Amino acid sequence: MDIYIGIDVGSVSTNVVAMDQNDHIIFKEYTRTNGQPLESVKKGLKLLEEDLKRIFYTVKGVGTTGSGRQLAGILVGADIVKNEITAHATATVNFHPTVNTILEIGGQDSKIIIIQDKMVVDFAMNTVCAAGTGSFLDHQSERLGVPIQDFGGLALTAKKDVRIAGRCTVFAESDMIAKQQYGFSKAEIIKGLCDALVRNYINNLGRGKALKAPYVFQGGVAANKGIKAAFERELGCEIIIPKYYNVMGAIGAAILAKEYIEVSGEETKFRGFGAAELAFKPRSFECEDCANCCEVIKVELNGKTVAIWGDKCGKWANSVTG
Amino acid sequence: MRIGLPRALLYHYYYPLWKSLFEQLGVEIVISDITSKQLVQEGVKVTVPEICLPIKIFNGHIINLLSKEVDYIFIPRFIGVESGKWFCPKFIGLPELADYTIDGVKSKILTVDIQGKKESTCEWTNYRPLCEALQVTPKELKKALKTAERVWQHFRDCCKQGFTIEEAEKMCSEDMRGSERTAHHTHDITLGVLGYVYNVYDPFVSMDIIKKLHGMNVRVITFEMLDEKRIHEKFKRKSKNLYWTFTDKIYGAAVELMENHQIDGLIHITAFGCGPDSIVGKMMELDSEKFKKPFMTIRVDEHTGESHLLTRIEAFVDMIKRQKISERRRELA
Ligand code: SF4
Ligand code: SF4
């Protein structure tokens, strides 16, 4: 069997998927990045290797995406390294060809992608404001003492509406405490929080965009039934949650790798599963050669520098040969 | 005598002019360092927080020049270079702004009022105060201005052939003729990059967006590469006239590029805290919907991360390239 591997390294989660030549997903793994992108990629690859022992296979291509895409790309020997917007859109269109709007909410960031005839025509990203992301919910679940897994289900049982000011996490928090004191139930507060997050998301990312059904909602937060319901109330129609909602970026990377290999006819640059054992050493240092004080990231393999980035002037990046 | 030129604001547009002018008048010019994180921080520290980022950066450059033992720092007051339009109020109050913000600069400020009808600013009355400060006669000044104006026109002509400001400056200083070189390499798509010269050409603010785009095989068109006369025609047809000279130029360029079928999309670069851009940015956004041109705004502040910016640019370029490929496929089918 020919397989394609997709890896999505984000600040919160690292996802690895394997796909066969017919775009069927044969493996998926969602792990926490915990600030160690390389370790989590290695772990994901190990699990994949174990899993693949049950079949005969050849790895034909590998793609990486997410904020750690460059680093992961070097580690595994990726054929393509793509930004998150392109990767997510590619995966969604593959499963839901008629999609017009992709709503994506992850742990630390969120995006909206507008699609027409399977093509990205507009997008917006938010990485600054936590009030439109999963970390907002994580935070409030801790405060309320309700595990995040139960959050969505509980929201659906609310009997009354309560409006919580959700412009920013700080306001939301104080408003939430106030509303609790007024005697609203936990379920109602949670529903209010879901509505606040969705309002925020639509105001920040959807502003000035033509939002049209069909909507596909993906990213880690798509598991939350309360948020899904809040979106449906806000947008006035049904929202689709794809089967692999939390690994769509990785699937997109795999599809893009496959496309690339098919078009170019090249052999994959995949280093093999042994790569997980290779002693990659990433380190960062502050360059002091000029007033920019760049945070330069340098990756070494067996004492040899294989990649450098982060320098504004390019003098470090250019020093790496082949 | 040593005169400092802050590498900020309209420096990027008028440098060839000022260089020629001052050198003819026997002055040594000292340019502040290229904008760096540290330089920006120095500026941010002393400037009122509410003001736009380019002014904070400008102040950083003044501080930088103070350490370079200059006799004067040239801070012109730009009021107007065409009738019926003015500069953003921050330019009109620039000498005072620097004076009240930065200790020890007052005695070094060398200023002139730029208020006339020529974009080259070369009416001699504009620069008359230089006679006293530099001990030159009006005749000498007039003569130097004439030459400087020619140099600057040559620089502008190079820009209009499609060269970036950096390339055009180099061509002028090396005295290469534009026709000897061509501005364009191969490219997959063409994007308009709109924004003030001090945003687009400042490596800190724009994070070298033009170089990044060139690296992605994108041809870049900026407002100063366009023919002003044609833009002027556009002005008459625009839905709205803007009072600020450069804001108006950028909007004119936007309208021109939106109608041009060779342009695949537009990127607007704006700095945090800019008043005029909050208006023109919205107007461009509305127009882009009307003309169905992909449009993206990049708003930069002193904390903007490079990787986030790169992701957005990459995604924007990818989106347009992939659309083009599928269009071509459809045409073939
Ligand atoms: S990497 Fe280049 S730009 Fe960055 S601090 Fe060092 S010399 Fe300066
Ligand atoms: S036009 Fe905008 S960015 Fe330029 S000086 Fe005025 S407020 Fe600042």
Side-chain angles (χ1 to χ4, degrees), chain A residues 7 9 14 16 29 31 36-50 72 75-76 273-282 300-301:
Chain A
I7 302 171
V9 186
T14 296
V16 176
E29 179 68 29
T31 51
Q36 293 194 303
L38 275 185
E39 287 314 308
S40 50
V41 172
K42 283 182 185 174
K43 193 174 138 208
L45 282 180
K46 267 243 165 64
L47 291 168
L48 172 61
E49 189 185 12
E50 280 299 310
L75 172 74
V76 299
F273 286 106
E277 305 303 328
L278 290 177
F280 276 98
K281 278 205 208 88
E300 283 177 358
L301 172 62

PDB file of all heavy atoms in Angstrom, chain A residues 7 9 14 16 29 31 36-50 72 75-76 273-282 300-301:
ATOM      1  N   ILE A   7       1.779  15.919   8.915  1.00  0.00           N
ATOM      2  CA  ILE A   7       2.115  16.276  10.294  1.00  0.00           C
ATOM      3  C   ILE A   7       1.765  17.744  10.520  1.00  0.00           C
ATOM      4  O   ILE A   7       2.153  18.610   9.734  1.00  0.00           O
ATOM      5  CB  ILE A   7       3.617  16.061  10.572  1.00  0.00           C
ATOM      6  CG1 ILE A   7       3.993  14.601  10.306  1.00  0.00           C
ATOM      7  CG2 ILE A   7       3.963  16.441  12.009  1.00  0.00           C
ATOM      8  CD1 ILE A   7       5.493  14.342  10.338  1.00  0.00           C
ATOM      9  N   VAL A   9       2.128  20.583  13.366  1.00  0.00           N
ATOM     10  CA  VAL A   9       2.720  20.913  14.663  1.00  0.00           C
ATOM     11  C   VAL A   9       2.248  22.301  15.090  1.00  0.00           C
ATOM     12  O   VAL A   9       2.679  23.309  14.534  1.00  0.00           O
ATOM     13  CB  VAL A   9       4.257  20.905  14.596  1.00  0.00           C
ATOM     14  CG1 VAL A   9       4.843  21.093  15.982  1.00  0.00           C
ATOM     15  CG2 VAL A   9       4.758  19.619  13.980  1.00  0.00           C
ATOM     16  N   THR A  14       0.103  18.379  18.491  1.00  0.00           N
ATOM     17  CA  THR A  14       0.862  17.886  17.347  1.00  0.00           C
ATOM     18  C   THR A  14       0.104  16.685  16.807  1.00  0.00           C
ATOM     19  O   THR A  14      -0.197  15.755  17.557  1.00  0.00           O
ATOM     20  CB  THR A  14       2.272  17.458  17.776  1.00  0.00           C
ATOM     21  OG1 THR A  14       2.957  18.612  18.253  1.00  0.00           O
ATOM     22  CG2 THR A  14       3.048  16.859  16.619  1.00  0.00           C
ATOM     23  N   VAL A  16      -0.443  13.660  13.811  1.00  0.00           N
ATOM     24  CA  VAL A  16       0.166  12.893  12.733  1.00  0.00           C
ATOM     25  C   VAL A  16      -0.925  12.037  12.106  1.00  0.00           C
ATOM     26  O   VAL A  16      -1.711  11.402  12.822  1.00  0.00           O
ATOM     27  CB  VAL A  16       1.300  11.985  13.274  1.00  0.00           C
ATOM     28  CG1 VAL A  16       1.876  11.117  12.166  1.00  0.00           C
ATOM     29  CG2 VAL A  16       2.392  12.824  13.919  1.00  0.00           C
ATOM     30  N   GLU A  29      -3.298  10.475  15.030  1.00  0.00           N
ATOM     31  CA  GLU A  29      -2.857  10.609  16.415  1.00  0.00           C
ATOM     32  C   GLU A  29      -2.844  12.093  16.780  1.00  0.00           C
ATOM     33  O   GLU A  29      -2.251  12.914  16.091  1.00  0.00           O
ATOM     34  CB  GLU A  29      -1.453  10.011  16.561  1.00  0.00           C
ATOM     35  CG  GLU A  29      -0.845  10.092  17.938  1.00  0.00           C
ATOM     36  CD  GLU A  29      -1.566   9.219  18.966  1.00  0.00           C
ATOM     37  OE1 GLU A  29      -2.150   8.187  18.581  1.00  0.00           O
ATOM     38  OE2 GLU A  29      -1.537   9.589  20.152  1.00  0.00           O
ATOM     39  N   THR A  31      -1.769  14.567  19.754  1.00  0.00           N
ATOM     40  CA  THR A  31      -1.063  14.634  21.038  1.00  0.00           C
ATOM     41  C   THR A  31      -0.819  16.080  21.441  1.00  0.00           C
ATOM     42  O   THR A  31      -0.830  16.982  20.604  1.00  0.00           O
ATOM     43  CB  THR A  31       0.336  13.966  20.964  1.00  0.00           C
ATOM     44  OG1 THR A  31       1.019  14.499  19.840  1.00  0.00           O
ATOM     45  CG2 THR A  31       0.245  12.473  20.849  1.00  0.00           C
ATOM     46  N   GLN A  36       7.250  21.029  23.354  1.00  0.00           N
ATOM     47  CA  GLN A  36       8.361  20.248  22.799  1.00  0.00           C
ATOM     48  C   GLN A  36       7.993  19.677  21.445  1.00  0.00           C
ATOM     49  O   GLN A  36       7.675  18.487  21.317  1.00  0.00           O
ATOM     50  CB  GLN A  36       8.718  19.118  23.754  1.00  0.00           C
ATOM     51  CG  GLN A  36       9.294  19.638  25.056  1.00  0.00           C
ATOM     52  CD  GLN A  36       9.933  18.544  25.835  1.00  0.00           C
ATOM     53  OE1 GLN A  36       9.275  17.555  26.154  1.00  0.00           O
ATOM     54  NE2 GLN A  36      11.211  18.691  26.130  1.00  0.00           N
ATOM     55  N   PRO A  37       8.000  20.512  20.426  1.00  0.00           N
ATOM     56  CA  PRO A  37       7.520  20.074  19.113  1.00  0.00           C
ATOM     57  C   PRO A  37       8.278  18.857  18.586  1.00  0.00           C
ATOM     58  O   PRO A  37       7.667  17.923  18.075  1.00  0.00           O
ATOM     59  CB  PRO A  37       7.735  21.298  18.229  1.00  0.00           C
ATOM     60  CG  PRO A  37       8.634  22.216  18.971  1.00  0.00           C
ATOM     61  CD  PRO A  37       8.432  21.905  20.419  1.00  0.00           C
ATOM     62  N   LEU A  38       9.604  18.842  18.731  1.00  0.00           N
ATOM     63  CA  LEU A  38      10.367  17.723  18.175  1.00  0.00           C
ATOM     64  C   LEU A  38      10.002  16.416  18.850  1.00  0.00           C
ATOM     65  O   LEU A  38       9.764  15.393  18.195  1.00  0.00           O
ATOM     66  CB  LEU A  38      11.871  17.972  18.328  1.00  0.00           C
ATOM     67  CG  LEU A  38      12.523  18.794  17.233  1.00  0.00           C
ATOM     68  CD1 LEU A  38      14.012  18.865  17.453  1.00  0.00           C
ATOM     69  CD2 LEU A  38      12.209  18.220  15.856  1.00  0.00           C
ATOM     70  N   GLU A  39       9.937  16.461  20.178  1.00  0.00           N
ATOM     71  CA  GLU A  39       9.607  15.251  20.931  1.00  0.00           C
ATOM     72  C   GLU A  39       8.233  14.718  20.543  1.00  0.00           C
ATOM     73  O   GLU A  39       8.027  13.524  20.377  1.00  0.00           O
ATOM     74  CB  GLU A  39       9.650  15.536  22.435  1.00  0.00           C
ATOM     75  CG  GLU A  39      11.059  15.705  22.983  1.00  0.00           C
ATOM     76  CD  GLU A  39      12.007  14.613  22.483  1.00  0.00           C
ATOM     77  OE1 GLU A  39      11.656  13.429  22.615  1.00  0.00           O
ATOM     78  OE2 GLU A  39      13.080  14.962  21.932  1.00  0.00           O
ATOM     79  N   SER A  40       7.280  15.651  20.384  1.00  0.00           N
ATOM     80  CA  SER A  40       5.934  15.173  20.091  1.00  0.00           C
ATOM     81  C   SER A  40       5.831  14.622  18.668  1.00  0.00           C
ATOM     82  O   SER A  40       5.078  13.680  18.419  1.00  0.00           O
ATOM     83  CB  SER A  40       4.890  16.258  20.358  1.00  0.00           C
ATOM     84  OG  SER A  40       5.262  17.445  19.732  1.00  0.00           O
ATOM     85  N   VAL A  41       6.611  15.184  17.741  1.00  0.00           N
ATOM     86  CA  VAL A  41       6.621  14.612  16.386  1.00  0.00           C
ATOM     87  C   VAL A  41       7.218  13.203  16.427  1.00  0.00           C
ATOM     88  O   VAL A  41       6.679  12.254  15.847  1.00  0.00           O
ATOM     89  CB  VAL A  41       7.428  15.493  15.403  1.00  0.00           C
ATOM     90  CG1 VAL A  41       7.583  14.791  14.062  1.00  0.00           C
ATOM     91  CG2 VAL A  41       6.736  16.830  15.194  1.00  0.00           C
ATOM     92  N   LYS A  42       8.317  13.063  17.154  1.00  0.00           N
ATOM     93  CA  LYS A  42       8.954  11.747  17.269  1.00  0.00           C
ATOM     94  C   LYS A  42       7.994  10.730  17.849  1.00  0.00           C
ATOM     95  O   LYS A  42       7.882   9.599  17.368  1.00  0.00           O
ATOM     96  CB  LYS A  42      10.187  11.850  18.178  1.00  0.00           C
ATOM     97  CG  LYS A  42      11.384  12.473  17.504  1.00  0.00           C
ATOM     98  CD  LYS A  42      12.559  12.479  18.455  1.00  0.00           C
ATOM     99  CE  LYS A  42      13.741  13.210  17.836  1.00  0.00           C
ATOM    100  NZ  LYS A  42      14.848  13.341  18.801  1.00  0.00           N
ATOM    101  N   LYS A  43       7.276  11.148  18.895  1.00  0.00           N
ATOM    102  CA  LYS A  43       6.337  10.255  19.548  1.00  0.00           C
ATOM    103  C   LYS A  43       5.242   9.830  18.561  1.00  0.00           C
ATOM    104  O   LYS A  43       4.912   8.645  18.446  1.00  0.00           O
ATOM    105  CB  LYS A  43       5.708  10.983  20.746  1.00  0.00           C
ATOM    106  CG  LYS A  43       4.956  10.080  21.681  1.00  0.00           C
ATOM    107  CD  LYS A  43       4.482  10.854  22.909  1.00  0.00           C
ATOM    108  CE  LYS A  43       3.062  10.429  23.245  1.00  0.00           C
ATOM    109  NZ  LYS A  43       2.294  11.473  23.916  1.00  0.00           N
ATOM    110  N   GLY A  44       4.728  10.805  17.827  1.00  0.00           N
ATOM    111  CA  GLY A  44       3.685  10.515  16.844  1.00  0.00           C
ATOM    112  C   GLY A  44       4.180   9.528  15.790  1.00  0.00           C
ATOM    113  O   GLY A  44       3.471   8.589  15.412  1.00  0.00           O
ATOM    114  N   LEU A  45       5.400   9.736  15.332  1.00  0.00           N
ATOM    115  CA  LEU A  45       5.952   8.861  14.287  1.00  0.00           C
ATOM    116  C   LEU A  45       6.160   7.436  14.803  1.00  0.00           C
ATOM    117  O   LEU A  45       5.901   6.458  14.108  1.00  0.00           O
ATOM    118  CB  LEU A  45       7.286   9.419  13.776  1.00  0.00           C
ATOM    119  CG  LEU A  45       7.204  10.591  12.793  1.00  0.00           C
ATOM    120  CD1 LEU A  45       8.594  11.037  12.385  1.00  0.00           C
ATOM    121  CD2 LEU A  45       6.373  10.225  11.563  1.00  0.00           C
ATOM    122  N   LYS A  46       6.612   7.324  16.059  1.00  0.00           N
ATOM    123  CA  LYS A  46       6.810   6.009  16.676  1.00  0.00           C
ATOM    124  C   LYS A  46       5.506   5.230  16.669  1.00  0.00           C
ATOM    125  O   LYS A  46       5.452   4.062  16.266  1.00  0.00           O
ATOM    126  CB  LYS A  46       7.271   6.196  18.134  1.00  0.00           C
ATOM    127  CG  LYS A  46       8.760   6.191  18.299  1.00  0.00           C
ATOM    128  CD  LYS A  46       9.152   4.983  19.180  1.00  0.00           C
ATOM    129  CE  LYS A  46      10.630   4.715  19.066  1.00  0.00           C
ATOM    130  NZ  LYS A  46      11.416   5.871  19.606  1.00  0.00           N
ATOM    131  N   LEU A  47       4.451   5.910  17.122  1.00  0.00           N
ATOM    132  CA  LEU A  47       3.141   5.259  17.196  1.00  0.00           C
ATOM    133  C   LEU A  47       2.682   4.838  15.806  1.00  0.00           C
ATOM    134  O   LEU A  47       2.122   3.756  15.615  1.00  0.00           O
ATOM    135  CB  LEU A  47       2.115   6.200  17.827  1.00  0.00           C
ATOM    136  CG  LEU A  47       2.346   6.483  19.316  1.00  0.00           C
ATOM    137  CD1 LEU A  47       1.471   7.631  19.799  1.00  0.00           C
ATOM    138  CD2 LEU A  47       2.047   5.223  20.142  1.00  0.00           C
ATOM    139  N   LEU A  48       2.949   5.697  14.828  1.00  0.00           N
ATOM    140  CA  LEU A  48       2.558   5.374  13.458  1.00  0.00           C
ATOM    141  C   LEU A  48       3.310   4.136  12.972  1.00  0.00           C
ATOM    142  O   LEU A  48       2.729   3.218  12.381  1.00  0.00           O
ATOM    143  CB  LEU A  48       2.840   6.573  12.544  1.00  0.00           C
ATOM    144  CG  LEU A  48       2.676   6.348  11.036  1.00  0.00           C
ATOM    145  CD1 LEU A  48       1.239   5.943  10.717  1.00  0.00           C
ATOM    146  CD2 LEU A  48       3.024   7.614  10.248  1.00  0.00           C
ATOM    147  N   GLU A  49       4.598   4.101  13.240  1.00  0.00           N
ATOM    148  CA  GLU A  49       5.415   2.969  12.800  1.00  0.00           C
ATOM    149  C   GLU A  49       4.881   1.669  13.393  1.00  0.00           C
ATOM    150  O   GLU A  49       4.719   0.665  12.685  1.00  0.00           O
ATOM    151  CB  GLU A  49       6.876   3.187  13.218  1.00  0.00           C
ATOM    152  CG  GLU A  49       7.825   2.172  12.606  1.00  0.00           C
ATOM    153  CD  GLU A  49       9.248   2.335  13.121  1.00  0.00           C
ATOM    154  OE1 GLU A  49       9.436   3.079  14.109  1.00  0.00           O
ATOM    155  OE2 GLU A  49      10.158   1.726  12.547  1.00  0.00           O
ATOM    156  N   GLU A  50       4.596   1.709  14.687  1.00  0.00           N
ATOM    157  CA  GLU A  50       4.013   0.536  15.363  1.00  0.00           C
ATOM    158  C   GLU A  50       2.752   0.086  14.639  1.00  0.00           C
ATOM    159  O   GLU A  50       2.565  -1.078  14.304  1.00  0.00           O
ATOM    160  CB  GLU A  50       3.617   0.920  16.802  1.00  0.00           C
ATOM    161  CG  GLU A  50       4.771   0.932  17.784  1.00  0.00           C
ATOM    162  CD  GLU A  50       5.411  -0.439  17.912  1.00  0.00           C
ATOM    163  OE1 GLU A  50       4.644  -1.404  18.120  1.00  0.00           O
ATOM    164  OE2 GLU A  50       6.645  -0.531  17.758  1.00  0.00           O
ATOM    165  N   ALA A  72       9.615  20.593  11.910  1.00  0.00           N
ATOM    166  CA  ALA A  72       9.149  19.230  11.670  1.00  0.00           C
ATOM    167  C   ALA A  72       9.563  18.773  10.278  1.00  0.00           C
ATOM    168  O   ALA A  72       9.935  17.620  10.074  1.00  0.00           O
ATOM    169  CB  ALA A  72       7.628  19.166  11.823  1.00  0.00           C
ATOM    170  N   LEU A  75      13.074  17.605  10.367  1.00  0.00           N
ATOM    171  CA  LEU A  75      13.198  16.349  11.116  1.00  0.00           C
ATOM    172  C   LEU A  75      12.820  15.145  10.258  1.00  0.00           C
ATOM    173  O   LEU A  75      13.543  14.158  10.216  1.00  0.00           O
ATOM    174  CB  LEU A  75      12.311  16.404  12.370  1.00  0.00           C
ATOM    175  CG  LEU A  75      12.188  15.102  13.161  1.00  0.00           C
ATOM    176  CD1 LEU A  75      13.474  14.836  13.922  1.00  0.00           C
ATOM    177  CD2 LEU A  75      11.024  15.161  14.127  1.00  0.00           C
ATOM    178  N   VAL A  76      11.684  15.237   9.566  1.00  0.00           N
ATOM    179  CA  VAL A  76      11.209  14.050   8.854  1.00  0.00           C
ATOM    180  C   VAL A  76      11.661  14.008   7.399  1.00  0.00           C
ATOM    181  O   VAL A  76      11.617  12.964   6.775  1.00  0.00           O
ATOM    182  CB  VAL A  76       9.659  13.939   8.892  1.00  0.00           C
ATOM    183  CG1 VAL A  76       9.185  13.826  10.321  1.00  0.00           C
ATOM    184  CG2 VAL A  76       9.006  15.117   8.198  1.00  0.00           C
ATOM    185  N   PHE A 273      11.443   6.103   9.256  1.00  0.00           N
ATOM    186  CA  PHE A 273      11.044   6.183  10.656  1.00  0.00           C
ATOM    187  C   PHE A 273      12.246   6.251  11.577  1.00  0.00           C
ATOM    188  O   PHE A 273      12.145   6.645  12.722  1.00  0.00           O
ATOM    189  CB  PHE A 273      10.134   5.009  11.024  1.00  0.00           C
ATOM    190  CG  PHE A 273       8.762   5.180  10.458  1.00  0.00           C
ATOM    191  CD1 PHE A 273       8.336   4.441   9.372  1.00  0.00           C
ATOM    192  CD2 PHE A 273       7.905   6.124  11.002  1.00  0.00           C
ATOM    193  CE1 PHE A 273       7.076   4.627   8.842  1.00  0.00           C
ATOM    194  CE2 PHE A 273       6.642   6.310  10.475  1.00  0.00           C
ATOM    195  CZ  PHE A 273       6.228   5.554   9.381  1.00  0.00           C
ATOM    196  N   GLY A 274      13.395   5.865  11.045  1.00  0.00           N
ATOM    197  CA  GLY A 274      14.616   5.990  11.836  1.00  0.00           C
ATOM    198  C   GLY A 274      14.876   7.440  12.231  1.00  0.00           C
ATOM    199  O   GLY A 274      15.596   7.707  13.183  1.00  0.00           O
ATOM    200  N   ALA A 275      14.263   8.362  11.498  1.00  0.00           N
ATOM    201  CA  ALA A 275      14.474   9.775  11.785  1.00  0.00           C
ATOM    202  C   ALA A 275      14.108  10.094  13.223  1.00  0.00           C
ATOM    203  O   ALA A 275      14.704  10.964  13.852  1.00  0.00           O
ATOM    204  CB  ALA A 275      13.638  10.627  10.836  1.00  0.00           C
ATOM    205  N   ALA A 276      13.153   9.348  13.722  1.00  0.00           N
ATOM    206  CA  ALA A 276      12.712   9.601  15.085  1.00  0.00           C
ATOM    207  C   ALA A 276      13.858   9.369  16.060  1.00  0.00           C
ATOM    208  O   ALA A 276      13.867   9.889  17.163  1.00  0.00           O
ATOM    209  CB  ALA A 276      11.525   8.694  15.423  1.00  0.00           C
ATOM    210  N   GLU A 277      14.839   8.556  15.625  1.00  0.00           N
ATOM    211  CA  GLU A 277      15.964   8.259  16.511  1.00  0.00           C
ATOM    212  C   GLU A 277      17.105   9.249  16.325  1.00  0.00           C
ATOM    213  O   GLU A 277      17.993   9.358  17.150  1.00  0.00           O
ATOM    214  CB  GLU A 277      16.507   6.841  16.218  1.00  0.00           C
ATOM    215  CG  GLU A 277      15.469   5.743  16.284  1.00  0.00           C
ATOM    216  CD  GLU A 277      14.777   5.718  17.639  1.00  0.00           C
ATOM    217  OE1 GLU A 277      15.427   6.050  18.647  1.00  0.00           O
ATOM    218  OE2 GLU A 277      13.589   5.369  17.668  1.00  0.00           O
ATOM    219  N   LEU A 278      17.112   9.933  15.163  1.00  0.00           N
ATOM    220  CA  LEU A 278      18.226  10.826  14.875  1.00  0.00           C
ATOM    221  C   LEU A 278      18.350  11.891  15.955  1.00  0.00           C
ATOM    222  O   LEU A 278      17.361  12.376  16.492  1.00  0.00           O
ATOM    223  CB  LEU A 278      18.038  11.504  13.510  1.00  0.00           C
ATOM    224  CG  LEU A 278      18.179  10.588  12.299  1.00  0.00           C
ATOM    225  CD1 LEU A 278      17.894  11.383  11.036  1.00  0.00           C
ATOM    226  CD2 LEU A 278      19.556   9.968  12.245  1.00  0.00           C
ATOM    227  N   ALA A 279      19.575  12.236  16.229  1.00  0.00           N
ATOM    228  CA  ALA A 279      19.811  13.187  17.310  1.00  0.00           C
ATOM    229  C   ALA A 279      19.768  14.619  16.788  1.00  0.00           C
ATOM    230  O   ALA A 279      20.793  15.245  16.577  1.00  0.00           O
ATOM    231  CB  ALA A 279      21.149  12.881  17.968  1.00  0.00           C
ATOM    232  N   PHE A 280      18.574  15.114  16.570  1.00  0.00           N
ATOM    233  CA  PHE A 280      18.427  16.506  16.170  1.00  0.00           C
ATOM    234  C   PHE A 280      18.553  17.373  17.397  1.00  0.00           C
ATOM    235  O   PHE A 280      17.952  17.098  18.427  1.00  0.00           O
ATOM    236  CB  PHE A 280      17.061  16.738  15.540  1.00  0.00           C
ATOM    237  CG  PHE A 280      17.036  16.385  14.095  1.00  0.00           C
ATOM    238  CD1 PHE A 280      16.555  15.155  13.691  1.00  0.00           C
ATOM    239  CD2 PHE A 280      17.501  17.269  13.155  1.00  0.00           C
ATOM    240  CE1 PHE A 280      16.526  14.823  12.358  1.00  0.00           C
ATOM    241  CE2 PHE A 280      17.469  16.946  11.809  1.00  0.00           C
ATOM    242  CZ  PHE A 280      16.983  15.724  11.407  1.00  0.00           C
ATOM    243  N   LYS A 281      19.319  18.408  17.253  1.00  0.00           N
ATOM    244  CA  LYS A 281      19.426  19.326  18.388  1.00  0.00           C
ATOM    245  C   LYS A 281      19.038  20.725  17.951  1.00  0.00           C
ATOM    246  O   LYS A 281      19.814  21.399  17.295  1.00  0.00           O
ATOM    247  CB  LYS A 281      20.856  19.332  18.924  1.00  0.00           C
ATOM    248  CG  LYS A 281      21.138  18.179  19.846  1.00  0.00           C
ATOM    249  CD  LYS A 281      22.269  18.529  20.800  1.00  0.00           C
ATOM    250  CE  LYS A 281      23.010  17.294  21.226  1.00  0.00           C
ATOM    251  NZ  LYS A 281      24.094  16.949  20.309  1.00  0.00           N
ATOM    252  N   PRO A 282      17.831  21.148  18.307  1.00  0.00           N
ATOM    253  CA  PRO A 282      17.509  22.535  18.022  1.00  0.00           C
ATOM    254  C   PRO A 282      17.943  23.395  19.202  1.00  0.00           C
ATOM    255  O   PRO A 282      17.838  22.982  20.351  1.00  0.00           O
ATOM    256  CB  PRO A 282      15.989  22.518  17.922  1.00  0.00           C
ATOM    257  CG  PRO A 282      15.549  21.353  18.738  1.00  0.00           C
ATOM    258  CD  PRO A 282      16.699  20.426  18.929  1.00  0.00           C
ATOM    259  N   GLU A 300      20.801  21.196  14.637  1.00  0.00           N
ATOM    260  CA  GLU A 300      21.986  20.410  14.313  1.00  0.00           C
ATOM    261  C   GLU A 300      21.656  18.931  14.230  1.00  0.00           C
ATOM    262  O   GLU A 300      20.813  18.432  14.971  1.00  0.00           O
ATOM    263  CB  GLU A 300      23.065  20.620  15.379  1.00  0.00           C
ATOM    264  CG  GLU A 300      23.780  21.935  15.234  1.00  0.00           C
ATOM    265  CD  GLU A 300      24.795  22.140  16.340  1.00  0.00           C
ATOM    266  OE1 GLU A 300      24.901  21.272  17.224  1.00  0.00           O
ATOM    267  OE2 GLU A 300      25.475  23.175  16.303  1.00  0.00           O
ATOM    268  N   LEU A 301      22.318  18.257  13.311  1.00  0.00           N
ATOM    269  CA  LEU A 301      22.193  16.805  13.215  1.00  0.00           C
ATOM    270  C   LEU A 301      23.615  16.245  13.183  1.00  0.00           C
ATOM    271  O   LEU A 301      24.399  16.615  12.310  1.00  0.00           O
ATOM    272  CB  LEU A 301      21.435  16.430  11.935  1.00  0.00           C
ATOM    273  CG  LEU A 301      21.383  14.949  11.595  1.00  0.00           C
ATOM    274  CD1 LEU A 301      20.657  14.164  12.676  1.00  0.00           C
ATOM    275  CD2 LEU A 301      20.686  14.742  10.253  1.00  0.00           C
TER     276      LEU A 301
END
